[in-house]
Each structure stands twice: as C-alpha cells, then as structure tokens.
Amino acid sequence: DDELRAILDRTRSIAVVGLSSNPKRASYGVAQFLQVRGYRIVPVNPNETEVLGEKAYPTLLDVPDAVDLVDVFRRPSVTPEVAERAVAIGAPVLWLQLGIESEEARRIAEEAGLTVIMDLCIRTVVARFELEEATRRDDEARRGG
C-alpha cells in the first residue's frame, strides 16, 4: 500500500492505453473516475480521436507530453509492445489493469527501471485510499483531534 500511495501521490498524468469512448467499457469508467479526481487523462487508442474531452493518440509514441503512469486496458498478448513503448517515452510506471498479467511486459519494463503493477484496478485502489482517508478523518473528528 505504501508503494501504491507513493505512485498515486506523484502521478499527475495518466496515459490510458485502450481507452474507449464507449461509456459501457471499463476503460471509460475508470478514466472518467480518475479524471474527476484531478488526474490528466491521455487517451491512447488508434480507433479514437477524442475521449472524455481529451485528444486521443494512436500509440504512446505519439503522445507529445510526458506521462507519469501508463494504465493498460489491452489483452496480455500485446502488453510487451506497450511496455516497450512505455520505456521509450520514459514513463516511470506501467500499470496493467485487473485481469491483465504479462511476465514479458514486466521484464521489459522492470529492466528499464519502471515500476510495474499488474492485475490490479487503479480505480479500486484510489477509491479504497479515499475511503480509508475519509474514515481516518472521521475518527479523528470524533476523538476531537
């Protein structure tokens, strides 16, 4: 948890690989949740031009600005290529969403110095941390401190 908190605390921009403009897709819901919480979302999907009011880019290599985290909503078989591109753009973190695992992608990213999170939903983590913080503040308020 400490490492996840540190990652999220220093993250400002998130490239969401596989972000869809379809509100019924998990990628859309997660990206919207993060955007509402102040993260800058950078859609990466060759089939989109704009998602959530942000210009979409065909690949990570086309994103003109630095990103703090690459969040991946793609099948495991393509994640090694995504990892290579995350390395190429200098992203410090590669995050594979819930249900996505690739030891090859992990190896590629970690050998280049990236932090890798796999098979974990970033939305769930952020929501849990928010709930824990709210509970802590409520407990302090009840104790008068």
Side-chain angles (χ1 to χ4, degrees):
D1 275 3
D2 289 342
E3 182 179 10
L4 292 175
R5 283 182 202 279
I7 289 168
L8 293 169
D9 284 349
R10 64 179 173 258
T11 295
R12 299 289 169 260
S13 61
I14 302 173
V16 184
V17 178
L19 178 53
S20 171
S21 61
N22 180 347
K24 294 179 182 176
R25 302 295 302 233
S27 62
Y28 185 94
V30 169
Q32 185 178 49
F33 175 91
L34 295 169
Q35 189 179 55
V36 165
R37 277 146 184 85
Y39 294 100
R40 179 174 165 257
I41 298 302
V42 181
V44 178
N45 186 332
N47 302 313
E48 301 287 356
T49 55
E50 183 180 295
V51 183
L52 295 167
E54 297 289 342
K55 177 179 173 29
Y57 298 93
T59 74
L60 283 172
L61 301 177
D62 299 305
V63 176
D65 302 315
V67 297
D68 301 313
L69 187 147
V70 175
D71 187 22
V72 184
F73 285 88
R74 298 290 315 277
R75 64 187 179 280
S77 62
V78 301
T79 58
E81 180 182 358
V82 175
E84 289 170 354
R85 291 177 176 180
V87 168
I89 67 166
V93 179
L94 178 68
W95 190 304
L96 306 184
Q97 278 294 136
L98 187 64
I100 305 171
E101 294 183 68
S102 168
E103 288 307 317
E104 185 181 356
R106 177 197 298 271
R107 180 190 55 74
I108 291 165
E110 286 183 345
E111 284 180 1
L114 279 70
T115 299
V116 179
I117 310 297
M118 291 195 304
D119 192 24
L120 190 61
C121 178
I122 193 170
R123 176 183 178 159
T124 302
V125 173
V126 170
R128 181 169 57 87
F129 289 166
E130 287 178 349
L131 180 59
E132 288 171 1
E133 178 62 20
T135 301
R136 185 191 61 73
R137 282 195 311 267
D138 288 349
D139 289 347
E140 285 179 2
R142 273 197 290 293
R143 289 192 303 264

